[in-house]
Amino acid sequence: MNIIAQQIAEFLKNYAPFNQLTSEQLAEVASNVRVVSLEKKQTLFKINDTLHDSFYVVASGVVNISVIADAEESIISKLHEGTIFGLRPFFAKNNYKMTAKAREESLVYAIPIAVFKPLLANNSEVLNFLLENFASNLPDDRSSQGNLVSDGLFYTEKQSEAQFFQTLAYNTTPLLATSDNTAQEVAQLMAESLKNNVIIFERNGPIGIVTHADLASKIATGRFPINTPVSNIMSSPVVTVLENVSLAEAQLLMLKNNVTHLCVTIDGTDKSTIKGVISEHDLIAAQASNPGVLIKEIKRSLSSKELKEIRTRLTNLIQSSIQKNIPLTHITNIASEINFAILKRAVELSILDLGSPPARFAWLSIGSQGRKEQLLLTDQDSILVFEDVAQDKYIEVKDYFLKLGKKTTATLEKIGYELCPYGHMGSNMMWCKSLTDWIKQYNNWMNATRENTDNLSSIFFDYELVTGEQKIETAINNIVFENASNNTLFFDFLGNDALRNNAPLSFFKKFLVEEEGIHKDKFDIKTKALMPLIDSARLFTLSYEIKGINNTYTRFKQLAIADPKHAEIYLSCAEAYLFLTKIRTLEGLKNENSGQYINLEELSKIDREKLKNALIPMKELEELIKDKFQLTQFS
C-alpha cells in the first residue's frame, strides 16, 4: 500500500462504518479511493444527475446537502469531516434526489461501490449503517438530537428508531422446490399450504422464486403450458438477505430490486442454506400504521365505519410520531395525505350510491383542511363546484350535487369530522354551485365594499382539490389572483381581519387568558396565537401573488424568499407556527378535543417560556401588516 493509500486508511478507520472493517479490507478500500478536490461552491452532484459509481466521505472542509421543496432550495445538512454521503447508487436506480455542493474548499474521498459492495456480504453492521444513513441522508451523529430527512423512500426520526430498524419476523418454513418440478406441481404445493410463493433451490442455495403473480402472468395467460418446468417461469436470481435483516433494509431492497419477496439465507448470499422468506405482507405487519398501508386500506374501504377505524389509527400515528420528535412538517404532510384520501373516499362512496355525476366537478376542502393543517379531528369545511351546463339542465344537475354534498358530509360526520357550525360545506346550497356562479361569488366578495362582505370568510381563500377536475380549481385560482392584483379594498378587509384578534400577551408579557365561562383561566391558542399567523400568511401570500401554496408554514418560508427585507420576521413566524401547532395538537390528543384552550398550569416551565417566545414575532408581523397595507384600524 502506497503512502497516500496509507494516509487514507488511517483517516477512514476513525469513522463508522469503516471502523467495522478488518485491516485488509480497509487497505483494499483505501487503495481504490479517488481524491476529489472541490473549490468553494463547486457542485459534486446535483438533483436529477445520473448516479456516480462511487459514494463519498468528507476528508476536509464542509459540504452542503440541499433539496428543492416548494420551489425553494433548502440546505438540510452541512456535512463535516468523516461524514459519508451520496449513497443513492448503492440502493436505488433513479437519479440523485439531492444536491451536494462545497460550502468551502473541500476534499472528499470517492469510494468505488464495486470495491466496497462485496465487503457487505458478511458484515451486517456495515450494511445496516449504510442503509440507515441512506434513509436519513444525514451524518451519523449518535449524540445529535436533530431530525433526519428522507431520500424519497420513507421517513425516520433517527438511527435508533426501533420502528424502522427492528429485526423482522418472517416465514421460517418456506416452501421449496427444484427446477425439475413442473409449474403444476408448484401450484398444487402453494394451494395445499395456503402460501403464495415457493423458493426454487439447488444444492441448498436459492436460484429463483415462483409467486402467485408468476402463475397468473405466465401460466393462466397461456404463455407457458401448465406442465412446463418451473425454471421457465421462476424469477431469477432471487434477492437474498441475512438472517438478522431489518425492516428498513428489507424495504429498501424490495424497492431497489422491484420485487415483492426476499429469500433469507445464513450468510445473505445465494450460496448458503435457505432460512426463510420475507414477503411484502411481513413488512406491512411490521408497520401497521405505515401511511402507505393506511392509504391502500382507505381506497378499499366500503363504509364510514371502516374509514372511522382508519382515522383512529391516524390519530395514534400522529401521537406516536410527535412523541418520537419526528419533525412536525413531516407529520403534517403524512396526516394531510391520509385525511385527503379519507375525504376522497367519502365522495367516491357517495357517487357509488347515487350513480355517476351528470357533469364534471371539483370537491374542494377549505380552511384547515384546505391548508393541509388538520392534525386533530376538527370540523369539516368544503365547497362543491360543478362545470357550467345548459340552463334547462341546471336545476337537475345542482340537485344531484347537493345530494352528493349531503351524503358525503353525513359520511364524514360519522367518521368523526363534525359538521361546520357556520354551514361552510358542499351540502349547503350556497356553497354548491356552478363554476360561473362561483366566479361571480369571488368577484363580488373581492370587489365589494366592507359593508357587503357578510358572507365572506377568509377560509374561502384556502382551498385544495380533494377529488374531481383540476381545471376547475385552476379557474378558481386564476379569478382569485386576477381580483387580488392591486385591490386595495380587498386587502384592507383581509388586513383588518388578520388584526381583529386581541394580542396574546399583555404589556407586561403575561398570557391573556379567558376571564369567564367554562374555559376560564385557559389560553385560547387558536384565536389568539394561531389564527393571526394563519390570516397574516394568507394576506401576504395573496399580496405577493404566490400561487399554489396554502400551508401556513410553507407560506411563511416562501414569503421569506419573496420579501427578503423582512425574511427574519417570516422565518420566525414559520417556526412559531410549528411550535404553537405542536402545543395545540398535544393538548387536543390528551383531551380528545380540538386543543383550542390550553391549561398553562399543565405546561412545564420550559414549554411556557417557549410558548411565550413563539408569540413575540406576532407584534412585528402586526406592524408589518399595518405598514404594508396602510392600516390604522384596531392598532
Side-chain angles (χ1 to χ4, degrees):
M1 187 165 56
N2 64 39
I3 191 162
I4 294 176
Q6 231 170 356
Q7 289 172 345
I8 293 171
E10 285 296 317
F11 174 87
L12 291 177
K13 75 177 184 183
N14 294 314
Y15 300 99
F18 308 103
N19 55 5
Q20 300 288 332
L21 301 179
T22 65
S23 300
E24 292 76 17
Q25 290 172 329
L26 198 56
E28 184 184 356
V29 170
S31 298
N32 287 279
V33 163
R34 179 169 52 89
V35 181
V36 181
S37 177
L38 298 174
E39 296 177 6
K40 185 177 181 180
K41 295 189 177 179
Q42 184 178 342
T43 299
L44 180 61
F45 57 78
K46 63 179 185 296
I47 296 167
N48 289 327
D49 273 1
T50 304
L51 298 179
H52 297 181
D53 60 4
S54 302
F55 69 100
Y56 300 97
V57 181
V58 180
S60 65
V62 181
V63 175
N64 284 346
I65 299 292
S66 59
V67 296
I68 300 292
D70 301 307
E72 172 192 353
E73 184 170 2
S74 300
I75 294 172
I76 61 165
S77 186
K78 295 172 185 174
L79 309 183
H80 297 272
E81 189 178 291
T83 305
I84 61 171
F85 67 102
L87 287 167
R88 177 160 284 271
F90 250 116
F91 305 113
K93 296 172 184 175
N94 49 352
N95 296 348
Y96 284 108
K97 298 291 185 188
M98 300 185 176
T99 294
K101 185 187 292 185
R103 184 180 177 86
E104 57 192 52
E105 283 189 18
S106 304
L107 284 181
V108 298
Y109 293 151
I111 300 175
I113 288 168
V115 173
F116 201 80
K117 210 166 192 175
L119 306 179
L120 304 180
N122 297 305
N123 201 327
S124 60
E125 288 190 19
V126 174
L127 177 58
N128 273 338
F129 180 93
L130 294 180
L131 280 159
E132 205 171 309
N133 193 285
F134 171 65
S136 68
N137 254 294
L138 282 184
D140 178 40
D141 181 358
R142 297 191 183 275
S143 64
S144 168
Q145 295 301 308
N147 295 306
L148 306 184
V149 182
S150 129
D151 197 14
L153 288 171
F154 61 88
Y155 289 76
T156 180
E157 179 197 358
K158 54 184 293 155
Q159 292 164 337
S160 60
E161 175 51 62
Q163 183 181 350
F164 288 98
F165 300 106
Q166 65 197 34
T167 300
L168 266 172
Y170 56 85
N171 174 19
T172 54
T173 55
L175 299 179
L176 301 175
T178 67
S179 55
D180 296 331
N181 286 110
T182 65
Q184 184 175 20
E185 289 169 339
V186 166
Q188 286 171 340
L189 188 61
M190 280 195 251
E192 289 165 5
S193 60
L194 300 177
K195 291 181 179 175
N196 68 357
N197 64 86
V198 174
I199 299 290
I200 313 304
F201 75 98
E202 196 173 85
R203 291 190 295 276
N204 287 335
I207 59 170
I209 184 170
V210 176
T211 66
H212 272 166
D214 293 315
L215 294 174
S217 64
K218 296 168 186 176
I219 301 298
T221 57
R223 284 173 56 196
F224 294 90
I226 195 159
N227 60 354
T228 191
V230 76
S231 56
N232 288 336
I233 65 165
M234 70 184 184
S235 298
S236 181
V238 66
V239 181
T240 55
V241 292
L242 288 157
E243 288 185 83
N244 61 348
V245 64
S246 67
L247 172 56
E249 180 181 349
Q251 189 174 33
L252 286 167
L253 287 173
M254 282 187 188
L255 285 166
K256 174 195 165 191
N257 294 286
N258 194 27
V259 296
T260 56
H261 294 79
L262 303 171
C263 181
V264 182
T265 64
I266 286 178
D267 69 0
T269 74
D270 59 5
K271 300 291 187 286
S272 66
T273 305
I274 297 164
K275 299 292 291 183
V277 63
I278 297 168
S279 68
E280 278 188 320
H281 177 77
D282 297 322
L283 299 191
I284 291 167
Q287 40 184 346
S289 292
N290 178 289
V293 175
L294 291 182
I295 286 175
K296 281 182 184 176
E297 289 186 24
I298 290 164
K299 289 177 178 177
R300 292 195 297 262
S301 294
L302 294 172
S303 67
S304 56
K305 184 180 178 182
E306 290 176 44
L307 291 172
K308 182 174 184 177
E309 189 270 328
I310 293 169
R311 186 58 185 78
T312 301
R313 282 160 61 192
L314 171 58
T315 298
N316 295 336
L317 176 62
I318 291 167
Q319 191 156 22
S320 64
S321 297
I322 289 176
Q323 286 168 351
K324 294 170 187 168
N325 288 322
I326 291 173
L328 198 67
T329 49
H330 168 53
I331 300 171
T332 305
N333 288 341
I334 292 294
S336 63
E337 290 305 317
I338 295 171
N339 270 319
F340 265 59
I342 292 172
L343 300 175
K344 183 179 181 181
R345 189 59 182 159
V347 176
E348 289 170 350
L349 291 177
S350 299
I351 291 172
L352 284 172
D353 199 37
L354 291 171
S356 297
R360 287 176 291 186
F361 73 101
W363 183 286
L364 301 176
S365 271
I366 58 175
S368 62
Q369 283 182 344
R371 294 190 302 272
K372 293 192 169 182
E373 295 170 352
Q374 196 179 50
L375 288 173
L376 297 164
L377 264 170
T378 52
D379 61 315
Q380 48 178 300
D381 297 287
S382 60
I383 63 173
L384 223 167
V385 190
F386 53 88
E387 67 178 342
D388 294 325
V389 295
Q391 193 60 42
D392 61 335
K393 297 280 185 186
Y394 184 89
I395 293 175
E396 177 190 337
V397 170
K398 179 159 182 169
D399 184 56
Y400 171 91
F401 284 111
L402 274 173
K403 287 177 182 173
L404 177 68
K406 286 173 181 171
K407 194 168 279 291
T408 301
T409 52
T411 297
L412 292 172
E413 186 181 21
K414 288 175 186 172
I415 294 168
Y417 302 94
E418 292 180 7
L419 298 175
C420 174
Y422 307 106
H424 295 143
M425 295 176 294
S427 55
N428 183 334
M429 64 185 304
M430 285 182 67
W431 314 130
C432 171
K433 44 196 174 190
S434 70
L435 179 58
T436 292
D437 286 347
W438 269 111
I439 287 172
K440 286 178 184 172
Q441 180 72 76
Y442 275 98
N443 280 336
N444 289 339
W445 274 336
M446 298 181 74
N447 296 297
T449 58
R450 193 177 303 155
E451 293 74 35
N452 296 324
T453 54
D454 292 343
N455 289 327
L456 175 56
S457 170
S458 53
I459 66 169
F460 286 101
F461 298 95
D462 299 332
Y463 44 81
E464 185 77 26
L465 181 70
V466 172
T467 188
E469 290 289 316
Q470 180 65 56
K471 289 180 181 177
I472 291 177
E473 186 198 31
T474 302
I476 298 285
N477 211 33
N478 289 342
I479 204 69
V480 166
F481 279 94
E482 281 173 27
N483 278 312
S485 184
N486 301 313
N487 190 333
T488 307
L489 274 175
F490 174 62
F491 286 115
D492 182 62
F493 170 81
L494 281 190
N496 282 304
D497 202 40
L499 298 173
R500 75 187 183 282
N501 295 307
N502 294 327
L505 298 174
S506 70
F507 180 78
F508 297 105
K509 299 289 186 291
K510 298 285 186 184
F511 289 105
L512 293 174
V513 297
E514 299 299 291
E515 294 180 358
E516 54 189 27
I518 58 171
H519 300 297
K520 188 175 185 298
D521 296 327
K522 290 186 178 180
F523 179 66
D524 184 349
I525 196 168
K526 177 185 175 183
T527 307
K528 285 190 163 65
L530 285 164
M531 287 312 300
L533 290 173
I534 291 165
D535 291 338
S536 302
R538 179 194 305 111
L539 168 68
F540 282 111
T541 301
L542 285 167
S543 170
Y544 283 104
E545 298 186 10
I546 297 170
K547 298 180 181 179
I549 297 176
N550 295 332
N551 179 268
T552 302
Y553 172 80
T554 314
R555 278 174 166 171
F556 278 125
K557 295 282 280 187
Q558 202 64 32
L559 285 165
I561 297 170
D563 180 17
K565 182 181 174 185
H566 301 108
E568 195 174 334
I569 296 174
Y570 298 128
L571 293 174
S572 296
C573 289
E575 294 308 314
Y577 176 80
L578 282 186
F579 180 76
L580 293 167
T581 300
K582 184 175 181 179
I583 291 289
R584 180 188 177 181
T585 304
L586 287 170
E587 186 77 12
L589 290 170
K590 182 175 70 177
N591 298 308
E592 295 185 0
N593 59 22
S594 70
Q596 181 170 347
Y597 295 94
I598 306 295
N599 187 336
L600 296 171
E601 296 303 314
E602 291 179 2
L603 292 181
S604 68
K605 187 177 179 182
I606 291 174
D607 278 346
R608 277 202 301 276
E609 277 307 303
K610 283 183 179 177
L611 178 56
K612 195 172 287 185
N613 290 336
L615 302 173
I616 291 171
M618 292 170 60
K619 188 64 182 173
E620 290 180 296
L621 190 63
E622 183 182 318
E623 294 305 318
L624 193 57
I625 292 171
K626 290 176 183 176
D627 181 58
K628 180 170 174 60
F629 301 102
Q630 303 294 294
L631 300 176
T632 55
Q633 299 93 326
F634 308 114
S635 53

